[in-house]
Amino acid sequence: MGLERLDLIRTRTLQPDLEYIFKHALTQEVVYNGLLKKERQNIHEKIGQVMEELFKTVWMSFYEL
């Protein structure tokens, strides 16, 4: 992957899924702030939907997130 070659991200394997993480928090912040507001809203909405599905039996404790 190009971002790995540029040393911007690392892979971290979590069985059974592969997860990518930013090498530096500053890089993550720059990328996040570079997203359009609508893109961020869509990402947050999708994350919320996944959290509701995964934690539906205990969702109240995660509601603020």
Side-chain angles (χ1 to χ4, degrees):
M1 173 178 248
L3 295 175
E4 287 178 285
R5 282 195 313 263
L6 293 171
D7 203 27
L8 295 174
I9 64 170
R10 294 182 181 164
T11 57
R12 179 171 63 179
T13 304
L14 297 175
Q15 297 297 330
D17 298 320
L18 180 62
E19 181 179 295
Y20 293 95
I21 58 172
F22 287 97
K23 184 175 177 185
H24 299 287
L26 183 57
T27 305
Q28 179 181 356
E29 185 177 332
V30 168
V31 170
Y32 182 79
N33 289 329
L35 294 172
L36 296 174
K37 184 177 180 180
K38 186 65 177 169
E39 291 174 306
R40 288 195 306 259
Q41 289 173 334
N42 288 337
I43 290 169
H44 292 173
E45 180 180 4
K46 288 177 185 176
I47 291 169
Q49 290 169 349
V50 168
M51 287 179 68
E52 284 178 350
E53 182 61 31
L54 290 174
F55 303 109
K56 57 183 149 193
T57 58
V58 292
W59 69 269
M60 290 286 254
S61 60
F62 292 96
Y63 190 70
E64 289 181 11
L65 298 174

